[in-house]
Amino acid sequence: MSTSICSRALRRSTLSARSFKLSARAFSQSVSRDASWGFIGLGAMGYPMAKNLAAKIPEGDTLTVFDVNTASTEKLQSESSSQNVRIAKGPKEVAQNSDNIISALPEPQHVKSVFNEILSESLPKPPSESSRIFIDCSTIDPITSREVAKLVKEKGDADFVDAPMSGGVVGAAAGTLTFMVGADKSLISRVEPILMLMGKKVWHMGPQGTGLSGKLANNYALAINNIAAAEAFNLGIRWGIQPKALADLLNSATGKSWPSEVNPPVPGVKEGSPSSKDYTGGFGVSLMRKDLRLAMTAAHEAGAKLVLADVARTVYEETEKEHKGKDFSVVYRWLGGKE
Ligand code: NAD
């Protein structure tokens, strides 16, 4: 075994047991050539994810990146300690030069336009592996995702799986994201170790598209629970209960939810929460509005009745108008809650 192969093998051995599975696979399939990775969309989530990836892929592997915002790709290249980050001129160049391509884009139209560009001409053989895989971590609607997956299969002879995430910017930086994957069972052994380089949990929800369905079902519940928690705090505090005493009660009784316990909407109830920092950080009200809209579209297509959705949409639209850029718990302030 040559020294470089030896050091790559050693480096791989420092990865988690699960990612070692990937390493063993990549290693056995690419001894004559390094594996190639791609990342498209280096925004609030994508940038720290790509940074983790660049730091964790075996030495000698390359990561080709693209974002319309060149400042972020240049920053990643300059901040990555190893010399393995290359900047592409467009998404097509990323796809052509990579076996495993991850994307984290804002909305369905961005995912569509990126993949239309990638597939505008036929893709060459993947550089190192026997097949190419696209892992899309964007939160979009399942229908668009399925359309793109079909196109990728037909025109690009590659697999496209949906792997939306939760854990926010903090989880992305810490490499502790949770991914909800929609993919054929046969692809999970390839997808899971890749995602484990950026996260700590991977849920296989079912066939392609169901990762997004799981994510949107979760975020629908979150949208409603957040409003319910804000209203309950507003009520109790106006009735004269101290905010912390009310939080203790709710969180040890049946009113408990993620917004009441982890992300309480009342400033001072929990140190470090967005509400205690003037509603900064956390999950932006615009993202909540977007996910609710996607959930409503997907529910309509599935014929599922959502009785609270229209009211919730109005709440987030109105809150966004007044408090754009703030954490979604700012609904409490929008309700006129005492701070
Ligand atoms: P963002 O807007 O910060 O980043 C998106 C990036 O995509 C930007 O850097 C933008 O320049 C780039 N981009 C846009 N169009 C492009 C194109 N055609 N080609 C290449 N790059 C392009 O968004 P984000 O917060 O990183 O979120 C990404 C996805 O993850 C979204 O779908 C979001 O809903 C989801 N998400 C976000 C969070 C969060 O807390 N921010 C949490 C979970 C999931």
Side-chain angles (χ1 to χ4, degrees), residues 40-46 66-69 72 91 104-107 110 113-114 137-140 165-169 215 282-284 287 290-291:
I40 301 169
L42 304 183
M45 295 294 285
F66 176 70
D67 193 296
V68 283
N69 172 14
S72 63
L105 296 158
E107 301 253 4
H110 303 105
S113 88
V114 160
C137 299
S138 321
T139 305
I140 61 170
M165 52 209 168
S166 74
V169 176
K215 162 87 182 172
F283 187 53
L287 282 177
K290 173 198 142 184
D291 288 2

Side-chain angles (χ1 to χ4, degrees), residues 34-273:
D34 294 340
S36 302
W37 305 75
F39 209 111
I40 301 169
L42 304 183
M45 295 294 285
Y47 184 88
M49 290 164 76
K51 201 168 171 187
N52 272 323
L53 203 59
K56 289 182 189 172
I57 56 175
E59 216 177 294
D61 288 6
T62 55
L63 174 64
T64 307
V65 297
F66 176 70
D67 193 296
V68 283
N69 172 14
T70 50
S72 63
T73 49
E74 282 161 12
K75 186 168 172 239
L76 183 76
Q77 196 177 42
S78 69
E79 281 187 355
S80 296
S81 48
S82 50
Q83 301 295 305
N84 61 353
V85 175
R86 289 190 196 146
I87 301 173
K89 288 192 192 71
K92 201 192 291 178
E93 193 183 324
V94 175
Q96 287 168 343
N97 288 298
S98 316
D99 308 294
N100 309 313
I101 301 108
I102 294 126
S103 46
L105 296 158
E107 301 253 4
Q109 69 266 27
H110 303 105
V111 176
K112 270 193 205 163
S113 88
V114 160
F115 280 88
N116 280 335
E117 192 176 334
I118 288 173
L119 300 166
S120 59
E121 56 189 79
S122 58
L123 285 170
K125 274 188 168 290
S128 326
E129 306 257 7
S130 55
S131 63
R132 183 180 269 114
I133 193 162
F134 294 92
I135 302 176
D136 184 35
C137 299
S138 321
T139 305
I140 61 170
D141 62 288
I143 297 238
T144 299
S145 184
R146 281 197 275 270
E147 281 168 9
V148 175
K150 192 165 173 268
L151 213 63
V152 167
K153 197 61 169 175
E154 286 168 3
K155 284 188 148 182
D157 193 25
D159 289 301
F160 174 100
V161 308
D162 51 307
M165 52 209 168
S166 74
V169 176
V170 173
T176 57
L177 292 170
T178 294
F179 295 95
M180 291 141 267
V181 179
D184 190 85
K185 233 192 239 163
S186 62
L187 296 170
I188 296 301
S189 59
R190 178 167 180 183
V191 170
E192 189 183 37
I194 296 174
L195 293 175
M196 291 298 280
L197 298 174
M198 298 169 287
K200 66 170 173 37
K201 250 188 231 156
V202 176
W203 298 101
H204 181 209
M205 304 307 298
Q208 204 280 321
T210 55
L212 283 161
S213 304
K215 162 87 182 172
L216 294 180
N218 179 73
N219 281 23
Y220 179 73
L222 179 64
I224 304 298
N225 286 342
N226 181 57
I227 298 172
E231 287 185 328
F233 273 106
N234 188 29
L235 266 177
I237 291 166
R238 281 175 187 269
W239 284 332
I241 307 174
Q242 285 302 309
K244 277 193 176 174
L246 183 56
D248 287 345
L249 168 72
L250 284 178
N251 294 329
S252 61
T254 46
K256 174 170 143 176
S257 64
W258 187 89
S260 74
E261 188 177 37
V262 181
N263 201 48
V266 185
V269 163
K270 188 173 175 190
E271 207 183 320
S273 66

